[in-house]
Amino acid sequence: MEFWYALIGIAAVIAFFPYIRCFFKRLKCAGKIKRLCQGKGYKIHATHPLWFLGSKHAKKCDLYIETANEVFAIKLFGMPRRLSILVLKENGEYFIRSFIALISYGGGIRLPINGKPKPMPVYDFRYKYKNEWEIKTPRHVLLVNPVSMEFRRQPQHGSEVIVGAGDIVNGMEIDFLPRLLGDLESAL
């Protein structure tokens, strides 16, 4: 009986490992953002107490970072599995491409498996937005943290295009943590 408990425990750790990884990556992300903002004198305005655990499915913005001239409205979008690709479609949908490895004599191959397309929520970047920020430049940032292997945009006609950090897709600036920290470092 103890063998089965141990086996179930090991299976649970393996199944939940991507989410445990996501939790610790988000804690690290929150620490880096807070440290940079304290050093530069920026103000962080969280929209809920556990903002660093923001879900890609929730439609409300997770936090605002107020600089002297800009307001970064940040929505967190997590990718629990590192070896996957986030594909953003032009029609407002997204899907996650995972891979299965097949190993045979003489080599191996990775087969892509596309997940079911899901509608990208229309995120509210003005949730709890303050009136005094109206004179500042707004930036709508979709912060992908933890990141996937790659981001791609799929036009309606044609092949997929790799999306770099800072590119605008569906009215949002796609960023990952180092790029966001660099933007905040150079903000006026």
Side-chain angles (χ1 to χ4, degrees):
M1 193 67 165
E2 291 177 12
F3 169 76
W4 292 110
Y5 288 138
L7 186 63
I8 290 171
I10 291 170
V13 168
I14 291 171
F16 289 112
F17 179 75
Y19 301 100
I20 295 168
R21 173 186 171 266
C22 186
F23 175 76
F24 286 109
K25 289 280 191 178
R26 289 281 181 91
L27 279 177
K28 188 176 177 181
C29 171
K32 287 183 177 186
I33 289 173
K34 285 181 181 179
R35 205 169 18 259
L36 179 82
C37 289
Q38 286 174 350
K40 298 289 271 180
Y42 301 153
K43 294 178 186 172
I44 295 177
H45 304 276
T47 60
H48 51 92
L50 297 174
W51 63 266
F52 62 92
L53 295 178
S55 168
K56 61 185 154 199
H57 305 293
K59 295 182 180 182
K60 297 174 182 167
C61 179
D62 292 313
L63 81 147
Y64 296 100
I65 298 176
E66 180 185 3
T67 68
N69 296 324
E70 295 177 312
V71 175
F72 289 79
I74 299 173
K75 176 64 189 151
L76 290 163
F77 191 99
M79 295 290 296
R81 289 177 175 74
R82 172 86 172 114
L83 298 176
S84 59
I85 296 175
L86 174 63
V87 181
L88 304 164
K89 297 173 75 174
E90 291 286 320
N91 64 357
E93 294 180 334
Y94 74 95
F95 65 88
I96 297 171
R97 180 174 295 144
S98 301
F99 296 92
I100 292 180
L102 296 177
I103 300 170
S104 66
Y105 181 75
I109 188 169
R110 289 181 348 153
L111 296 175
I113 297 176
N114 292 342
K116 180 181 173 188
K118 299 175 186 168
M120 178 70 85
V122 178
Y123 295 122
D124 183 7
F125 288 102
R126 295 191 57 88
Y127 176 70
K128 293 189 177 180
Y129 201 81
K130 296 183 179 181
N131 289 333
E132 58 264 18
W133 296 342
E134 294 295 336
I135 60 171
K136 298 184 179 192
T137 305
R139 290 185 61 181
H140 301 164
V141 177
L142 184 68
L143 179 60
V144 181
N145 183 276
V147 297
S148 61
M149 182 169 54
E150 197 172 82
F151 312 134
R152 292 184 178 213
R153 183 176 63 231
Q154 185 181 50
Q156 290 179 348
H157 305 289
S159 61
E160 293 178 357
V161 178
I162 294 177
V163 175
D167 286 354
I168 306 293
V169 177
N170 297 334
M172 300 174 290
E173 184 178 334
I174 308 295
D175 269 345
F176 50 90
L177 186 60
R179 168 66 190 235
L180 177 66
L181 295 176
D183 286 351
L184 288 170
E185 189 72 41
S186 64
L188 299 174

